[in-house]
Amino acid sequence: LGVFWKLLFKWKGSIYKLVWQNLFVYMVLYYALSITYRFGLNDTGKIKFEQISLHCQRFADLIPVTFVLGFYVSIIITRWWGQYKIIPWPDSCCLFISTCIQGHDDRGRLMRRTIARYLIVALIQTLRMTSVQVKKRFPTLNHLSDAGIITDNERVIIESLDEKCIQHPKYWMSLVWAGAVVTRAKKEGRIKDDFAFRTIIKEINNFRSGCGGLLDYDWISIPLVYTQVVTLAVYTFFLSSLMGRQFLDPTRGIEGHDVDLVVPVFT
C-alpha cells in the first residue's frame, strides 16, 4: 500500500504534470457554466440551458473517443517498445570477438578492443542524432576525441567525409573499419575458420541494422493525420461535455439527473 501511494503521487513524468493546465482550464469553464445555470438564469433560461445540455450529452456519446484513444495508445506503445527492442547492444558482437579472434599478445588484444571501440563509436554517432542527452554530452567530434573514443586521425577522416557528404549520417564508417580489422585478423590466422569470420561480420551487420532502425524511428514519426484525429476527437468530446455533463436540477424530473453532485467526479 505504501508503494501504491508513492507511485500515485509521483510528479516527475506523471499524468498530473502533463494535463494539469488543461484540467484547470476545463474546471474553470465547467464551474463558470454551472454557476451561471444555478444562480444567473431565470426559469426560461434554465429550460433552454437544460435543452442544450441534453443535446450535447446525446451527441457527445456518439464520439468514439474510447476507440480512437485505444487505437492511438496501441500505436504509441508498440512504437515505444519497438524502439527499445531495436537498440543495438554490442554485447553479442563482443562475445564473438573475444571468443573467435585468438591471441593473447598485444596485437590480438588491440584488435579486439579496436573492434569493440568502433561499435561504441557507431552507437554514439547514432544516439547523437536521436538523443538530446547524448548530443549534449558529445556535441562535436572533438568531444569524442577528447574522451578517447576516437583518435585524431579517425576524427579527421569523419570530418572530411562530412564536408563531402553533408546530408547523410556517417555512423556506419566505424563499422566499416571494424569489418576491415576482422578481415585483417582472418588473414593473420587469428580467426581459425570461415564460420567464425562470417558470424562476426553478421553480428557487425546486425549492429548496423539496429543503428539504422533507431534512425528510422527518429526520421519517420506517427502520421500527422492520426494525431490530428485523436486531438480533434478528444477536444471535441471535452468541449461537448462542458455542457453535456452538467448536473441539472433534480427537482425538474429530467431523466438521468436524479442526483446533483456539483463536482464532476466521473467526467
Side-chain angles (χ1 to χ4, degrees), residues 15-32 238 242:
I15 190 173
Y16 320 115
K17 183 178 180 180
L18 185 64
V19 304
W20 75 269
Q21 294 175 324
N22 292 331
L23 179 62
F24 177 76
V25 173
Y26 180 86
M27 294 302 295
V28 169
L29 294 176
Y30 181 91
Y31 279 110
F238 279 104
L242 283 173

Side-chain angles (χ1 to χ4, degrees), residues 222-235:
I222 296 176
L224 180 61
V225 63
Y226 288 153
T227 305
Q228 289 177 334
V229 168
V230 173
T231 302
L232 287 173
V234 171
Y235 277 86

Side-chain angles (χ1 to χ4, degrees), residues 163-230:
E163 294 175 358
K164 297 176 183 178
C165 187
I166 301 176
Q167 300 298 326
H168 298 281
K170 314 300 186 301
Y171 68 91
W172 47 266
M173 285 190 64
S174 62
L175 299 179
V176 174
W177 298 339
V181 176
V182 174
T183 303
R184 191 179 309 131
K186 178 68 168 60
K187 291 180 179 180
E188 294 180 4
R190 297 180 183 275
I191 301 176
K192 297 303 181 181
D193 54 76
D194 292 337
F195 177 76
F197 174 75
R198 288 196 301 269
T199 301
I200 296 175
I201 294 299
K202 182 179 179 181
E203 286 297 321
I204 294 176
N205 186 56
N206 290 339
F207 194 88
R208 188 221 61 79
S209 298
C211 293
L214 280 179
L215 292 179
D216 289 342
Y217 275 110
D218 183 62
W219 291 336
I220 304 174
S221 59
I222 296 176
L224 180 61
V225 63
Y226 288 153
T227 305
Q228 289 177 334
V229 168
V230 173

